[in-house]
Amino acid sequence: MAERRSKHEIIFDILNLISSKSGRVKPTHILYGGNLSHDRLKKYLDELITGGFIQKQEEKGKIYYILTDKGYKFIEEFKKIEEMTQAFGI
Amino acid sequence: MADINFTLLLAKQFPNWFYWVVAGIQLLGVVVSFAISYLGFKAYRIIKEAKYKYFFYGFLLLGLSFLANVILNVSIRLGYAKYFVEKKYELFMLPMFGIYYVFLIGVMLAYVSLAAVYSEVKKSNKLWLFYFWTFIVGVYTFRDKLMFNMFSAILLSFIVMYTYDKYLEGKNKNRLLTCLAFFCMFLFHLFVLLETFMPIFFIIRNSILLIGLILLLTTLSKIYGRKKK
């Protein structure tokens, strides 16, 4: 059985997903790619907007989520932490 | 961790430049330890898990100990610490003894912190007991270099075993480097026994410590040098 993802891993997965789509994505993409229920996804997205990691943008009646510089920085920092965790086996 | 060999310093068995090389090795230890502790600090700031906190504490204490050691070694080499080397307790030498305590206690508390990371200690109230007793032992080892090194080797033996287990779990090359780095530190402390009979082991021990630090530096450069995607 796969291990449950921690909150930070979920946040990283969401941000990484947005980053992989050129930093701009529709909520449905995150819903499918993030492997989360609608309610939980909404909670995480609100938290990420409040934290300044992503921005909500409306264009021609469609909603997009855009990765901010802070979001990109978080991805890089998290990757370094993951690498450190792996390297030191902690 | 490097330590000061009073007997050898007084006997001047090795050329003067060699002790500067030792100070250089310790300075490398300061840089490597602080760089790793900074990573641990960043991880704890983001993830807030106890293991990152103890990892950060561990390398921070190790870095401080290396720094204390550099200060002591340089002071001794520059001739500012004759009384200290001869263990004459003069009031004006008090800061030197303080720095020496930072070194002794710092090293041991660092190893306890790292052992806590690898043994996955969850309850910090129990860990404080280990810190307390290590502190007591650290204070006592002031006059006994052998005891300090043996106690440090015991603590490190746990870390080496844990890191080896972690390597077997993941077969990750970086984990092997980490395990070998801790093993080098373990040998560094253990070989103090042989140094008593064969002074050449002072050089061997410091060479082993240098290898250990280079291994940690290699791991660190892989983490920091990771290409952005």
Side-chain angles (χ1 to χ4, degrees), chain B residues 135-146:
Chain B
F135 180 82
I136 299 295
V137 174
V139 170
Y140 188 74
T141 56
F142 183 76
R143 284 190 156 270
D144 195 344
K145 180 189 159 197
L146 204 66

Side-chain angles (χ1 to χ4, degrees), chain B residues 82-84 87-97:
Chain B
K82 191 170 172 283
Y83 286 97
F84 176 71
K87 291 201 174 179
K88 286 180 182 169
Y89 300 104
E90 300 287 343
L91 195 63
F92 67 92
M93 291 310 299
L94 212 59
M96 295 296 264
F97 289 112

Side-chain angles (χ1 to χ4, degrees), chain B residues 8 11 14 30 39 66-67 83 93 129 171 173 203 211:
Chain B
L8 291 175
F14 303 107
V30 175
L39 270 179
F66 271 119
L67 187 64
Y83 286 97
M93 291 310 299
L129 194 66
K171 291 277 179 190
K173 202 176 164 188
I203 296 176
I211 294 168

Side-chain angles (χ1 to χ4, degrees), chain B residues 194-206:
Chain B
L194 297 167
E195 189 186 288
T196 318
F197 310 109
M198 288 174 274
I200 191 74
F201 268 88
F202 181 60
I203 296 176
I204 295 171
R205 288 174 66 219
N206 280 289

Side-chain angles (χ1 to χ4, degrees), chain A residues 8 76 83 85-88, chain B residues 46 52 118 166 175 178 226:
Chain A
H8 291 90
E76 279 310 311
E83 200 126 339
T85 308
Q86 275 297 315
F88 286 90
Chain B
I46 292 174
Y52 294 113
Y118 287 107
K166 293 283 180 185
R175 284 189 189 180
T178 308
R226 194 184 53 79

Side-chain angles (χ1 to χ4, degrees), chain B residues 24-38 59 62-64 66-67 70 213 217 220 224:
Chain B
I25 294 171
Q26 291 157 3
L27 200 61
L28 178 68
V30 175
V31 175
V32 171
S33 304
F34 282 160
I36 297 173
S37 92
Y38 178 62
F59 277 99
L62 205 58
L64 286 173
F66 271 119
L67 187 64
V70 172
L213 291 173
L217 194 66
L220 202 60
Y224 277 107

